[in-house]
Structure formats: C-alpha cells, structure tokens
C-alpha cells in the first residue's frame, strides 16, 4: 500500500521541461513505453498535452500526464498515465474528467481511446 502523502495537485500545459520526468514515468509504467520522439512529435503537432503535478513533502513533481489529438469534432486520447507510486487514487479519472470538460469547451462531440 502506498503511504506517500500527496498534499496538492495542479495541471499545467505541456512543456519540454517536464520531459525527463515524463519519460521516467512512461518507462516505469509500461512494457512498451512511448519514446522521447513520440512526445516531441506530439508537442510539435500541437496535440493537447497536460501534465499533472503533485506536491509531496514540499517538492513538486510530475505524477501524471495525458496526450490527446484533436480532430474535426472528436478527440483521440493517445496516452494517459499516472506514475505507479500514485496509482489507485482516482487521478486518472480526474484527468479524464478534465479532458471531457476540455472537449466540451472546444466543441468536440466525441472522445475516443486509441488502443
């Protein structure tokens, strides 16, 4: 059971400054992780990318992120990840809720999960 205390979270737009932390999470969470190129290409393509930061013992760190590709009237969720140490706390659901709200704000009528 994870006993690490999370005191605060906040969402921030993607920045390459988060890339090292995101790659570390990606590699720890998946047997076939995205490459640095996948993330850089997604950012260059203008995909909707959000980083979830969490504060633990006064230090802010990446604890999750999502990447979604917007189309004409739909959004394709390409990657949603919560760091293994932070899983089981409803953070992915919160990120999905935030993405659904974003879809509504920008007029998207469908959200697809790419698997």
């Amino acid at each position: 059971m994870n006993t690490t205390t999370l005191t605060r979270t906040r969402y921030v737009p993607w920045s390459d400054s988060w890339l090292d932390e995101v790659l570390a999470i990606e590699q720890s969470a998946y047997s076939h992780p995205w490459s640095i190129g996948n993330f850089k290409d997604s950012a260059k393509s203008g995909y909707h990318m959000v980083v979830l930061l969490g504060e633990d013992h006064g230090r802010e760190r990446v604890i999750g992120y999502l990447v979604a590709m917007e189309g004409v009237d739909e959004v394709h969720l390409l990657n949603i990840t919560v760091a293994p140490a932070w899983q089981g706390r409803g953070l992915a659901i919160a990120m999905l809720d935030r993405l659904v709200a974003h879809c509504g704000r920008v007029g998207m009528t469908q959200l697809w999960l790419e698997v």
Side-chain angles (χ1 to χ4, degrees):
M1 176 179 224
N2 186 349
T3 59
T4 306
T5 303
L6 184 63
T7 57
R8 183 176 69 99
T9 61
R10 71 183 177 108
Y11 296 92
V12 295
W14 175 263
S15 163
D16 281 348
S17 65
W18 305 116
L19 192 53
D20 288 341
E21 287 183 77
V22 166
L23 285 172
I25 292 169
E26 184 75 8
Q27 291 169 357
S28 70
Y30 298 112
S31 61
H32 295 84
W34 275 25
S35 69
I36 189 171
N38 293 124
F39 287 102
K40 286 187 172 190
D41 288 346
S42 295
K44 189 187 319 180
S45 296
Y47 291 174
H48 179 73
M49 300 173 71
V50 176
V51 175
L52 175 61
L53 301 177
E55 187 176 305
D56 176 31
H57 302 301
R59 181 176 178 266
E60 194 169 60
R61 67 187 73 196
V62 176
I63 60 173
Y65 48 89
L66 68 79
V67 179
M69 179 180 66
E70 296 180 2
V72 175
D73 64 350
E74 61 191 29
V75 172
H76 294 256
L77 178 58
L78 304 176
N79 189 327
I80 183 168
T81 306
V82 173
W86 299 102
Q87 292 175 1
R89 299 173 189 232
L91 297 170
I93 292 169
M95 285 195 293
L96 278 173
D97 287 345
R98 186 174 175 90
L99 180 59
V100 169
H102 169 77
C103 290
R105 282 192 305 276
V106 297
M108 302 295 174
T109 60
Q110 296 180 48
L111 175 58
W112 296 90
L113 173 62
E114 292 293 320
V115 292

